[in-house]
Amino acid sequence: MKRILAITVLGLFLIGSAFAGITFKYTFPDVMYPDGQKGTIQAAVKQNKNGTVTTCSYFSDPNNQYLGQFQGTDNTSTDAVVVRDYCLSHYADRTP
């Protein structure tokens, strides 16, 4: 009985891990936004079986004021330079 319970718990853990996906997180300091403002971008690329979601959060310097966020599904790269450029290209599309 204990063996069946242990196998069931292990199986549920493995299934949950598979559905969770993989998340890559980035911080890009000292970025120059298209409007000439300087700031920091915090980005995350989450990959799971359904696809990829990239989230970009924008902050101003020097007071770290929140400027908004963009979320898109058309980026599939986890390369830091590509993610930074993707976030910069969608700066105007952010929502407060």
Side-chain angles (χ1 to χ4, degrees), residues 58-95:
Y58 305 94
F59 301 89
S60 67
D61 284 343
N63 58 1
N64 212 24
Q65 180 183 0
Y66 180 72
L67 300 174
Q69 184 180 70
F70 173 78
Q71 191 172 51
T73 57
D74 55 334
N75 172 53
T76 57
S77 178
T78 58
D79 181 77
V81 174
V82 174
V83 173
R84 186 196 67 217
D85 292 344
Y86 177 80
C87 290
L88 282 172
S89 70
H90 289 285
Y91 176 73
D93 302 323
R94 72 193 186 283
T95 56

Side-chain angles (χ1 to χ4, degrees), residues 1-13:
M1 181 67 175
K2 287 182 181 180
R3 183 176 291 169
I4 293 172
L5 181 61
I7 291 172
T8 303
V9 170
L10 180 61
L12 290 174
F13 176 74

Side-chain angles (χ1 to χ4, degrees), residues 14-94:
L14 292 175
I15 290 171
S17 298
F19 287 120
I22 301 171
T23 301
F24 299 88
K25 295 187 177 187
Y26 308 90
T27 299
F28 305 110
D30 300 322
V31 173
M32 187 65 69
Y33 297 125
D35 64 0
Q37 196 171 182
K38 187 176 174 186
T40 299
I41 297 174
Q42 292 179 352
V45 179
K46 184 172 183 177
Q47 297 177 328
N48 61 33
K49 67 180 182 108
N50 296 327
T52 303
V53 176
T54 302
T55 304
C56 307
S57 298
Y58 305 94
F59 301 89
S60 67
D61 284 343
N63 58 1
N64 212 24
Q65 180 183 0
Y66 180 72
L67 300 174
Q69 184 180 70
F70 173 78
Q71 191 172 51
T73 57
D74 55 334
N75 172 53
T76 57
S77 178
T78 58
D79 181 77
V81 174
V82 174
V83 173
R84 186 196 67 217
D85 292 344
Y86 177 80
C87 290
L88 282 172
S89 70
H90 289 285
Y91 176 73
D93 302 323
R94 72 193 186 283

